[in-house]
């Protein structure tokens, strides 16, 4: 697993576990990291391997061992990164972006079970097109062209097991997600996070690739700093940043 520290001189530690296929060289991931460093965070960014044989050994344990050396930190995780982050200890505040705590409901449980039983780690299952209609309007050509195209039955099995073994989510956690997400199942979010701690945005799977991202970035930063207190008065959310959406690149 690759990790990199951004803004060594930052005053506050922040662990950012990216989603499956995300790279810090992707323009929109870089945009988000830039917002975090501008806010004074020392960002410990983790890139997840896109193929795994064992969820704990390949994804969870490297991050869990790393954070043991951090006395205090804030936790930000996107998609598959949130599957790792929900099992980490020690964070003051937890913010999840489109957490992949369940496969999309279009994938039947029986199909997942059948695929999981195939005894191979070879990436031989196509994941489908991961374009702007899935990721968000601001997803760039570079990002789309470098997204993985295949996963293995072992990957499907390990993710499915991890989703079935979710821990209790911190009561102060904040989730940003969209009802139009074509990647994740929203039901595990609703079961684990109070509705008043969920911020809905209009766009694709990646908030940082949404045309509306500037409207939510201040609220995201506030949530990292203050936890759910930042959004408990939902009446103020729509008027926080009334600027028009960014134009798609």
């Amino acid at each position: 697993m690759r990790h990199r520290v951004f803004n060594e001189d930052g005053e506050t530690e922040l662990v950012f576990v990216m989603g499956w296929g995300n790279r810090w060289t992707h323009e929109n991931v870089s945009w988000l990291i830039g917002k975090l460093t501008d806010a004074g965070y020392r960002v410990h960014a983790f890139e997840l391997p896109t193929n795994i044989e064992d969820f704990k050994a390949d994804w969870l344990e490297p991050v869990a061992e790393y954070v043991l050396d951090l006395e205090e930190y804030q936790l930000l995780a996107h998609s598959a990164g949130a599957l790792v982050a929900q099992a980490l200890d020690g964070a003051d505040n937890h913010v999840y972006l489109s957490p992949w705590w369940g496969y999309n409901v279009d994938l039947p449980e029986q199909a997942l079970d059948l695929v999981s039983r195939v005894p191979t780690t070879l990436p031989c299952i196509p994941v489908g097109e991961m374009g702007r209609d899935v990721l968000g309007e601001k997803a760039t050509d570079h990002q789309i062209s470098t997204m993985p195209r295949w996963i293995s039955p072992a990957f499907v099995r390990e993710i499915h097991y991890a989703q079935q073994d979710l821990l209790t989510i911190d009561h102060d956690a904040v989730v940003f997600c969209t009802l139009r997400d074509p990647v994740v199942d929203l039901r595990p979010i609703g079961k684990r996070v109070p509705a008043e701690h969920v911020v809905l945005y209009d766009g694709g799977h990646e908030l940082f690739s949404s045309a509306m991202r500037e409207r939510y970035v201040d609220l995201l930063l506030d949530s990292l700093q203050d936890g759910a207190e930042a959004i408990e008065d939902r009446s103020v959310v729509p008027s926080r940043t009334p600027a028009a959406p960014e134009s798609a690149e």
Side-chain angles (χ1 to χ4, degrees), residues 97-134:
L97 310 179
S98 306
W100 194 30
W101 293 334
Y103 279 98
N104 186 280
V105 293
D106 291 338
L107 294 173
E109 189 79 16
Q110 289 181 332
L112 292 173
D113 288 339
L114 288 173
V115 171
S116 297
R117 295 174 188 171
V118 179
T120 180
T121 60
L122 178 69
C124 56
I125 305 171
V127 298
E129 185 63 33
M130 300 288 281
R132 292 179 181 87
D133 56 333
V134 173

Side-chain angles (χ1 to χ4, degrees), residues 24-56:
W24 48 66
T25 55
H26 289 162
E27 296 86 346
N28 294 330
V29 174
S30 178
W31 171 87
L32 178 56
I33 291 175
K35 294 294 184 180
L36 297 170
T37 58
D38 287 346
Y41 287 109
R42 184 171 183 252
V43 179
H44 306 260
F46 287 85
E47 290 184 355
L48 298 177
T50 56
N51 192 35
I52 59 175
E53 298 181 31
D54 184 282
F55 170 77
K56 290 184 178 179

Side-chain angles (χ1 to χ4, degrees), residues 142-177:
H142 168 241
Q143 177 184 2
I144 294 171
S145 66
T146 54
M147 287 295 292
R149 296 287 185 253
W150 304 84
I151 55 176
S152 70
F155 178 92
V156 174
R157 180 190 66 244
E158 289 300 307
I159 298 302
H160 195 37
Y161 285 166
Q163 291 171 345
Q164 292 175 327
D165 197 29
L166 289 174
L167 301 179
T168 300
I169 304 303
D170 184 271
H171 73 280
D172 204 32
V174 175
V175 169
F176 289 75
C177 63

Side-chain angles (χ1 to χ4, degrees), residues 189-211:
I189 299 174
K191 290 179 180 178
R192 286 176 164 76
V193 180
E196 60 269 23
H197 295 177
V198 176
V199 178
L200 295 176
Y201 67 90
D202 188 23
H205 179 58
E206 297 179 342
L207 174 62
F208 43 86
S209 293
S210 166

